[in-house]
């Protein structure tokens, strides 16, 4: 018989039975029983149907459409409990808990024939006392059953309730944006993009997508544990430690009080406890071995005998400011981490022997302060620095303002339970390699996990950010829709938010909690355009200014809260009052974003916003596609807004891409159709990178101007499938042109041209240095040359924190579509260990690009600078040597032929 039994504890007396439910034999069936296949845990219905051969891989071909029937059915997971009950040891004092770390989403849970619970929130952990059901089953039912309801049909049913509010969409404002499955997602606590988005599929999955356990506590000695250990769940003989929150902040610090950088550090540990017996004088001892620090036993307060819900008890430990080294993002310092040992002793003994109920955890964490500065600039700053009046909107780490450079993260796969840890690490390491210091966890996806074990995360995210030194902007999962405030809806949201804030508290990489994505702008439009607009504004204020704000800040002192990813800022932090449209004309408030699909304005600097911070920077999607059903179905921009298939709006998205290439680059067209298609794909990616780099350079330029711009986050870093999107890294892990472009423009020191065609002026700016200007194009051009024949190369090299950094930029006075390109006659010489030397024997190779073969995953590293490099101007006489750095874990081809690496440049858009 298969079962797993383990413990965290060294003492054999302090043993709880922990049974991993993945060891049961699961079956999956649809509502009418016509399909019955083996199931698994953690998993989702699509994945088990694929494994059983009932459906093909959902990500292939047009399966998003042909497999919609899976979404429309109800699916039930069932497992015989006999492997557990045969090993279960019952006694009068014992209690058994059923622990789920994630159910997606609407489900009835039945244990041995007894109804346990109905659940409706994908983002919550659920713990139930099932002790009474173990003594006798209902009839012959000895099963654990999770009956999942179609989230699509559940949502439709909820919208029919008499108390379900209607959210109108008009030509002026959409109060509930629809992408594929319409009008339901705002009523379901589930990943928003499961119902479709303008860059991803709509599979609306269901399943037990995270691990689940049976935990048995008993005052009597239980059987010895198996040798393997797991940190999840954490138990002693009598206690289930359901949650551990670790919050590190400065004495006196909170969301409206700036931290005193010289004050002592406060280490707050809060425990969520269920216990089968009471303990009068429990203590918690904290230690940091690297610092040789150990606290005195800290009084926790009495633990009552309670198994119905968690009891929350906490302790504080104060240590001097100078004792630990501070954590910094990797581009600003060292992301220093420490191991904090938390020892709970429920009944301290008088002698030297440890208590039989001792629970010890080790949590990796760091010391830092993070602020989101939103108060007005002082008159002195306005006068002395030339700051445009208004409010600040930027972050400060350890009391120092910095420029946030980064991208936005979406879910790594449509099916959470199959996300590969090594794929996530590759994406995050790639972000660091391209100079990023911040990732925004988009509020339409999922609460990213801490690590593979904590709360059944399955892979590491925040702990990787801690390790790699990359900041994480966190958001509650509300996106592009107004939210109802019905009681039945709110009662599920509060525990969801509390659980996730408490879990993430320990991570020094976390910089803030935003209430959601792009909702403030929606409600402001509704307020001014709808007859009952103030009703929606009042609901928004209740939900995002008051309700969520109060929940988040009751659980943390270390990070700020803001209502939305894009916001006009605040009138006051204490009390927290949003600004909305209450501002002085000409002043700058809050942050912003830029979406512009007019390719003719791609490089018109006057169309770029002037803002304190850009949370989303975006231009046209970059993958060209022909008009086949498969490709049309993969282009979700603009979205259909309903279940029409293929997307009837796909031609509009394709036009945006192709027109951009035709306007700014040579139009691909050769006698080789395969080459033409490849050049189209690459050219659209190249245009995206050119535009994004130009925008980022503009915003970084603003750090020294009146707007004092201190942040730009590009949409988006990763991809959820193989489709048309804005990602810098493909679903497979392949770097696109944009990823290399960011490696240049996010360098600590950059140089860039800024061309203003209105008065024909060119400004060349190196950050942290003076700028030079030249008036009139004729004054810039070399004597005797036409604007179509010349280009400008700009290099800057600097030493930053004892490391050499370099940046290279290019300027062409006319569009490359009209430039007189010359055959660069590029040769590629392969060396050892996949090094390649590229030489231009004819003319300049504009945007020379080296492509690695299908099945390989990695990036090219410049042998001279040691930095990622691809997509550059290859100059005759100045060779480039690069090495391909493999990701062995992700590659399906381990030893490619160097001859299969392909070089291209813009010359190949029109020539073989």
């Amino acid at each position: 018989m298969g079962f797993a039994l383990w413990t965290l504890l060294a003492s054999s007396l302090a043993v709880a039975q922990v049974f991993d439910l993945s060891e049961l034999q699961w079956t999956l069936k649809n509502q009418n029983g016509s399909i019955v296949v083996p199931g698994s845990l953690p998993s989702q219905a699509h994945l088990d149907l694929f494994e059983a051969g009932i459906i093909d891989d959902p990500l292939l071909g047009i399966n998003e459409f042909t497999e919609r029937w899976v979404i429309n059915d109800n699916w039930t997971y069932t497992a015989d409990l006999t492997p557990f009950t045969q090993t279960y040891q019952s006694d009068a004092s014992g209690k058994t808990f059923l622990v789920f770390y994630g159910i997606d989403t609407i489900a009835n849970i039945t244990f041995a024939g007894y109804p346990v619970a109905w659940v409706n929130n994908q983002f919550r952990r659920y713990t139930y006392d099932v002790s009474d059901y173990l003594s006798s089953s209902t009839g012959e039912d000895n099963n654990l059953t999770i009956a999942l309801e179609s989230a699509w049909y559940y949502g439709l049913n909820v919208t029919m309730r008499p108390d379900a509010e209607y959210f109108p969409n008009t030509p002026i404002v959409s109060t509930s944006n629809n992408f594929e499955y319409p009008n339901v997602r705002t009523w379901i606590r589930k990943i928003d993009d499961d119902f479709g988005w303008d860059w991803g599929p709509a599979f609306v999955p269901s399943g037990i997508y995270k691990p689940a356990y049976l935990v048995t506590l008993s005052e009597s000695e239980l059987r010895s544990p198996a040798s393997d250990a797991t940190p999840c769940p954490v138990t002693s003989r009598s206690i289930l430690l359901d949650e551990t929150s670790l919050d590190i902040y400065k004495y006196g610090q909170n969301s409206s009080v700036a931290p005193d950088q010289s004050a002592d550090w406060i280490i707050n540990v809060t425990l969520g406890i269920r216990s089968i017996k009471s303990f009068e004088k429990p203590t918690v001892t904290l230690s940091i071995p690297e610092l040789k620090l150990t606290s005195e036993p800290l009084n926790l307060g009495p633990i009552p005998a309670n198994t119905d819900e968690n009891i929350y008890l906490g302790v504080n430990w104060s240590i001097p400011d100078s004792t630990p080294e501070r954590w910094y993002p990797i581009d600003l310092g060292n992301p220093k981490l420490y191991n904090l040992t938390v020892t709970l002793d429920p009944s301290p003994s008088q002698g030297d022997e440890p208590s039989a109920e001792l629970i010890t955890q080790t949590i990796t964490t760091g010391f830092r302060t993070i602020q989101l500065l939103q108060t007005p600039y002082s008159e002195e700053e306005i006068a002395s620095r030339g700051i445009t009046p208004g409010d600040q909107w930027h972050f400060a780490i350890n009391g120092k303002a910095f420029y946030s450079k980064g991208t936005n993260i979406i879910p790594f796969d449509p099916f959470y339970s199959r996300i590969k840890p090594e794929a996530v690490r590759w994406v995050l390491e790639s972000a660091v390699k391209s100079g990023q210091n911040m990732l925004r966890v988009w509020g339409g996806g999922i609460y990213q996990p801490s690590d593979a074990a904590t709360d059944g995360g399955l892979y590491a995210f925040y702990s990787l950010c801690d390790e790699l030194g990359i900041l994480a902007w966190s958001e509650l999962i509300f996106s592009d829709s107004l939210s109802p405030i019905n009681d039945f809806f709110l009662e599920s949201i509060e525990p969801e938010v509390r659980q996730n804030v408490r879990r993430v508290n320990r991570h020094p990489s976390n910089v803030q909690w935003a209430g959601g994505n792009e909702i403030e702008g929606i409600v402001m439009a509704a307020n001014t355009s709808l007859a009952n607009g103030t009703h929606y504004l009042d609901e928004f204020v209740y939900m995002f200014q008051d309700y969520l704000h109060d929940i988040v800040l009751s659980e943390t002192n270390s990070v700020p809260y803001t209502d939305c990813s894009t916001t006009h800022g605040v009138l006051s932090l204490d009390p927290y009052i949003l600004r909305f449209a209450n501002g002085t004309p000409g002043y700058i408030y809050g942050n912003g974003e830029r979406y512009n699909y007019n390719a003719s304005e791609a490089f018109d600097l006057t169309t770029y916003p002037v803002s304190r911070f850009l949370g989303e920077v975006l231009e046209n999607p970059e993958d060209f596609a022909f008009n086949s059903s498969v490709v049309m179905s993969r282009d979700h921009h603009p979205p259909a807004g309903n279940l029409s298939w293929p997307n009837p709006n796909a031609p509009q998205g394709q036009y945006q891409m192709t027109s951009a290439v035709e306007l700014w680059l040579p139009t691909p067209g050769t006698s080789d159709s395969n080459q033409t298609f490849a050049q189209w794909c690459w050219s659209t990616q190249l245009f995206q990178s050119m535009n994004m780099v130009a925008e980022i350079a503009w915003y970084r330029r603003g750090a020294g101007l009146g707007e004092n711009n201190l942040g730009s986050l590009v949409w988006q870093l990763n991809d959820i499938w193989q489709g048309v999107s804005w990602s810098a890294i493909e679903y497979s892990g392949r770097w696109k042109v944009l990823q290399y472009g960011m490696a240049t423009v996010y360098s600590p020191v950059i140089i860039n041209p800024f061309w203003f065609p209105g008065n024909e002026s060119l400004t060349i700016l190196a950050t942290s240095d003076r700028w030079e200007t030249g008036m009139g194009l004729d004054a810039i051009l070399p004597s005797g040359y036409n604007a179509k024949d010349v280009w400008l190369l700009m290099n800057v090299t600097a030493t930053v924190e004892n490391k050499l950094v370099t940046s290279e930029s290019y300027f062409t006075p006319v569009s490359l579509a009209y430039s007189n390109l010359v055959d660069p006659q590029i040769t590629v010489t392969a060396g050892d260990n996949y090094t390649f030397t590229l030489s231009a024997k004819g003319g300049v190779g504009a945007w020379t690009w080296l492509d690695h073969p299908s099945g390989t995953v990695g990036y090219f590293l410049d042998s001279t600078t040691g930095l990622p490099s691809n997509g550059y101007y290859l100059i005759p006489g100045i060779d480039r040597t690069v090495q391909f750095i493999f990701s062995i874990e992700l590659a399906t081809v381990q030893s490619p032929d160097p001859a299969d690496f392909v070089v291209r440049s813009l010359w190949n858009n029109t020539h073989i």
Side-chain angles (χ1 to χ4, degrees), residues 591-594 609 611-617 699 709 711-713:
N591 65 354
E593 60 184 14
R594 181 182 191 257
S611 176
R612 305 290 194 208
F613 194 109
L614 273 292
E616 290 188 25
V617 182
Y699 303 134
N709 178 289
S712 58
L713 306 181

Side-chain angles (χ1 to χ4, degrees), residues 11-62:
S11 170
S12 63
L13 295 177
V15 173
Q17 285 183 319
V18 179
F19 187 94
D20 186 342
L21 293 181
S22 68
E23 298 297 322
L24 297 177
Q25 299 300 309
W26 291 89
T27 60
L28 172 68
K29 67 176 182 179
N30 65 340
Q31 183 167 350
N32 66 13
S34 60
I35 298 175
V36 181
V37 299
S40 57
L41 189 159
S43 189
Q44 287 155 298
H46 282 82
L47 303 182
D48 288 324
L49 293 171
F50 174 37
E51 182 69 20
I54 301 298
I55 63 173
D56 202 352
D57 187 336
L59 295 189
L60 293 182
I62 60 173

Side-chain angles (χ1 to χ4, degrees), residues 125 127 240-243 271-274 306-312 499 502:
R125 178 185 60 260
T127 302
L240 170 60
L241 197 53
D242 212 23
E243 289 184 83
L271 306 176
I273 298 171
R274 300 191 191 209
N306 178 70
T307 59
D308 294 331
E309 60 184 7
N310 288 353
I311 300 297
Y312 291 93
Q499 287 177 4
R502 286 192 288 250

